[in-house]
Amino acid sequence: MAVTMMILYVSKLNKVIHFPDFDKKIPIKLFPLPLLYVGNHISGLSSTSKLSLPMFTVLRKFTIPLTLLLETIILGKQYSLNIIVSVFAIILGAFIAAGSDLAFNLEGYIFVFLNDIFTAANGVYTKQKMDPKELGKYGVLFYNACFMIIPTLIISVSTGDLRQATEFNQWKNVLFITQFLLSCFLGFLLMYSTLLCSYYNSALTTAVVGAIKNVSVAYIGMLVGGDYIFSVLNFVGLNVCMAGGLRYSFLTLNSQLKPKQPVDEENIPQDLKG
């Protein structure tokens, strides 16, 4: 969060990017993104620790239909029958795989479904708030980090994580510090690239892209993780999930209806506007 704030603020000072200055309307415009952001991370970390990696990957697929539903309700978007069928193929595979999960953990399932809800809502509301007439994509990134860095520190103190971090014995290791700072920068790039995907496409496409990315995670987890319990139904379910995700991508990329990309108003110099 600190790296995100620093990069965006320095870029704004040097007029590389533009986002609105802080005023009393910013928190209202941003709400409820900070709450969804924290809920997403807490539920995600909680569910990861209680489920095997492949099952976590499968159950996260429920983010996709939730995103489709919220985009329809909140943004008024409409999707073709082929897209909807592809989404439900992903869900069918998830049901098959989860129904045969030999390491069922109710608490883990509850956390991962909460994570799905938070992720879907976060994606759809982020798409809504990125309107250049509102906060814009840079404003969403910057002010979300601003509002959440202090609550996150408070949570870290209360859970003891901050104390464990400060007592870590590698803070004088130059190699570790270099890799740690690099991971912070890459975290910013990850958030920015996810935001760009939603900005130029849709929250649903971003969710499906993430699902396809997890193809390698699921299969590697079977071989390397050591916590995957094989069953035929579970394996079939995983493959149905992946097939549905790939079909969605094929339909999206080959669609003849190519919507006009939004103009990136935030990168237009102020003297060229209106």
Side-chain angles (χ1 to χ4, degrees), residues 37-226:
Y37 182 82
V38 170
N40 188 19
H41 280 273
I42 293 176
S43 58
L45 291 172
S46 300
S47 56
T48 304
S49 62
K50 298 180 184 299
L51 295 172
S52 68
L53 187 58
M55 281 314 303
F56 174 77
T57 301
V58 168
L59 293 174
R60 289 284 288 131
K61 300 293 186 298
F62 284 90
T63 298
I64 300 172
L66 287 172
T67 302
L68 188 151
L69 178 64
L70 290 176
E71 278 197 325
T72 303
I73 296 172
I74 297 171
L75 303 181
K77 297 198 67 169
Q78 299 294 327
Y79 289 98
S80 68
L81 180 61
N82 282 333
I83 293 291
I84 295 173
V85 169
S86 298
V87 167
F88 276 95
I90 297 172
I91 300 311
L92 176 62
F95 267 117
I96 294 172
S100 62
D101 184 8
L102 302 181
F104 180 82
N105 183 310
L106 179 61
E107 187 179 357
Y109 275 46
I110 292 173
F111 274 117
V112 80
F113 283 125
L114 285 174
N115 191 218
D116 291 341
I117 294 170
F118 282 123
T119 301
N122 187 65
V124 173
Y125 276 108
T126 297
K127 176 70 174 179
Q128 184 186 60
K129 305 294 183 182
M130 280 191 294
D131 187 333
K133 295 178 182 178
E134 294 287 328
L135 293 174
K137 57 182 181 292
Y138 301 115
V140 168
L141 265 182
F142 181 79
Y143 288 115
N144 201 35
C146 285
F147 282 109
M148 291 322 305
I149 191 167
I150 293 177
T152 302
L153 282 173
I154 293 173
I155 293 172
S156 299
V157 171
S158 63
T159 58
D161 286 351
L162 186 63
R163 179 181 57 80
Q164 292 182 25
T166 55
E167 293 175 355
F168 186 60
N169 60 7
Q170 295 295 319
W171 285 115
K172 294 181 180 180
N173 186 326
V174 177
L175 179 60
F176 166 75
I177 293 175
T178 302
Q179 293 175 335
F180 174 75
L181 293 176
L182 181 60
S183 73
C184 293
F185 177 71
L186 291 175
F188 162 73
L189 286 183
L190 176 61
M191 289 191 294
Y192 181 53
S193 61
T194 302
L195 207 70
L196 281 183
C197 185
S198 293
Y199 182 76
Y200 287 109
N201 300 287
S202 68
L204 181 62
T205 296
T206 301
V208 174
V209 167
I212 295 172
K213 175 264 298 180
N214 287 334
V215 171
S216 58
V217 175
Y219 289 108
I220 291 173
M222 292 179 190
L223 302 174
V224 178

